[in-house]
Amino acid sequence: MTDAATAAARPALLLTGPVMEDVVERQLAERFTLVPLEELGTADAGAVRAIATRGKVKVDDALMARLPHLEIVANFGVGYDTVDAAAAAARGVVVTNTPDVLNEEVADLTLGLLLATVRQIPQAERFVRAGQWIKGAFPLGPTLRDRTVGILGMGRIGKAIARRLEAFGVPVAYHSRRPQPDVAYRYYDSLVALARAVDVLVVIIPGGPATRRIVNGEVLEALGPNGILINVARGTVVDEPALLAALTSGTILAAGLDVFEDEPNVPEGFMGLDNVVLLPHVGSSTHFTRTAMGQLVVDNILSWLDGKGPLTPVAETPWPRT
Ligand code: 8YV
């Protein structure tokens, strides 16, 4: 049999790493031969029609070039900055992600991280465990009450965060590439202007070259000495050395970070600071939401395999093709 005939008979699916074994791998194994990346040989490469990936390994043009019958790359996660979607489009390969099913979960975590950072919840907990309470009360701290929250990115998750903030009774403003017609929050066409106008900046925009380190020293300076930065997007969006300097010098007050540029490595400098709350990229990580994300990966791939097209293609690879 030729490679193409083999691919049609029993297609192979490349896993760039483990992808929810009990949800994704179990279901896809019924229709595909699963090939882990480290076992990819020439024979398997010819049979690969699909990739399931979760953002640890880059799916770049060089990898796609090794797979002559690749048709679809399904990303586990809404952010697909580790998939070269433009290169996929040029090769006629469809890319899918997992939008919407994680909006509320990530928004919940964002509010939790914001409150933890403003009200110093982890610090207060450490205070109790260290037996300090017996010696005196935990010091008074900052509040959410007198703040305006700026959101960088008013996509689906940004809107879910903003809805929650409305319930907390704090004004919301935002910056994104263009104003969103379906929200009434104040729009700033410049990130620095937004940072200057608010006391909290919540980052929820896609990663990738276009947004690399856009939260830089100038933005942090504009946020000011009472300012709080919350990043639940991608570590690459924030200039980490500039943030570390800003937290150390008092240029801003505090930060809450769920994401880092080189995960799972957290810059050593943050570890010793008491004005930063550090989380291990847990925005969507509950059984409920990760199962929904995994199921959407499966549904995209099986819909494609059955000739019905992808369910949630990304903007670079629209479906039907334009
Ligand atoms: C996941 C995420 O942590 O959806 C995203 O873009 O960052 C998270 O939901 C990640 O995709 C899982 O590897």
Side-chain angles (χ1 to χ4, degrees):
M1 261 201 288
T2 61
D3 280 353
T6 311
R10 172 78 180 171
L13 177 135
L14 181 69
L15 291 165
T16 62
V19 185
M20 286 207 85
E21 209 173 320
D22 51 336
V23 179
V24 178
E25 296 179 30
R26 180 180 55 76
Q27 293 182 66
L28 291 177
E30 291 171 17
R31 307 280 298 274
F32 291 88
T33 302
L34 302 188
V35 182
L37 183 57
E38 55 284 1
E39 288 169 26
L40 183 67
T42 324
D44 282 334
V48 168
R49 287 176 59 190
I51 296 180
T53 186
R54 65 173 297 172
K56 294 223 170 13
V57 171
K58 281 199 165 30
V59 178
D60 55 13
D61 196 50
L63 176 57
M64 290 187 267
R66 292 172 62 193
L67 310 168
H69 300 112
L70 180 65
E71 296 165 16
I72 181 168
V73 178
N75 184 64
F76 177 82
V78 67
Y80 54 97
D81 45 311
T82 54
V83 178
D84 189 340
R91 291 180 173 279
V93 170
V94 168
V95 178
T96 64
N97 64 344
T98 60
D100 289 322
V101 292
L102 76 182
N103 295 350
E104 307 302 323
E105 199 77 81
V106 176
D108 287 350
L109 191 279
T110 306
L111 265 292
L113 181 56
L114 171 57
L115 289 174
T117 307
V118 180
R119 297 297 307 276
Q120 305 178 328
I121 294 172
Q123 294 90 326
E125 209 257 1
R126 289 198 289 272
F127 181 87
V128 173
R129 285 181 191 271
Q132 301 274 29
W133 194 11
I134 223 79
K135 299 180 209 148
F138 188 70
L140 303 187
T143 179
L144 186 63
R145 289 303 99 211
D146 60 357
R147 291 174 184 273
T148 298
V149 177
I151 303 183
L152 171 55
M154 193 46 80
R156 290 171 279 212
I157 305 176
K159 285 172 189 157
I161 294 169
R163 278 198 304 276
R164 284 160 174 73
L165 288 165
E166 281 187 52
F168 277 83
V170 289
V172 172
Y174 72 104
H175 169 70
S176 54
R177 275 169 300 179
R178 60 192 82 85
Q180 293 292 306
D182 56 342
V183 298
Y185 313 118
R186 179 157 183 189
Y187 175 73
Y188 287 83
D189 62 6
S190 129
L191 173 54
V192 172
L194 174 72
R196 204 171 290 125
V198 300
D199 323 277
V200 175
L201 185 63
V202 176
V203 182
I204 185 67
I205 45 166
T211 58
R212 188 170 163 74
R213 297 194 165 181
I214 64 166
V215 178
N216 55 20
E218 188 191 1
V219 172
L220 297 169
E221 187 87 38
L223 194 55
N226 190 38
I228 290 178
L229 178 77
I230 303 295
N231 187 8
V232 289
R234 286 289 181 267
T236 52
V237 175
V238 173
D239 181 339
E240 283 181 348
L243 175 59
L244 186 56
L247 287 166
T248 310
S249 63
T251 301
I252 68 167
L253 183 68
L257 308 174
D258 185 41
V259 288
F260 301 88
E261 186 162 352
D262 180 29
E263 295 172 8
N265 301 301
V266 175
E268 194 50 45
F270 288 133
M271 300 285 199
L273 290 181
D274 207 38
N275 57 344
V276 58
V277 177
L278 305 170
L279 296 182
H281 197 152
V282 290
S284 69
S285 61
T286 63
H287 294 293
F288 177 84
T289 290
R290 285 290 173 85
T291 300
M293 290 163 64
Q295 195 57 50
L296 191 48
V297 168
V298 172
D299 293 347
N300 264 298
I301 292 174
L302 294 186
S303 176
W304 175 267
L305 191 65
D306 293 339
K308 297 183 204 139
L311 302 179
T312 49
V314 303
E316 292 87 337
T317 63
W319 194 266
R321 288 193 170 102
T322 47

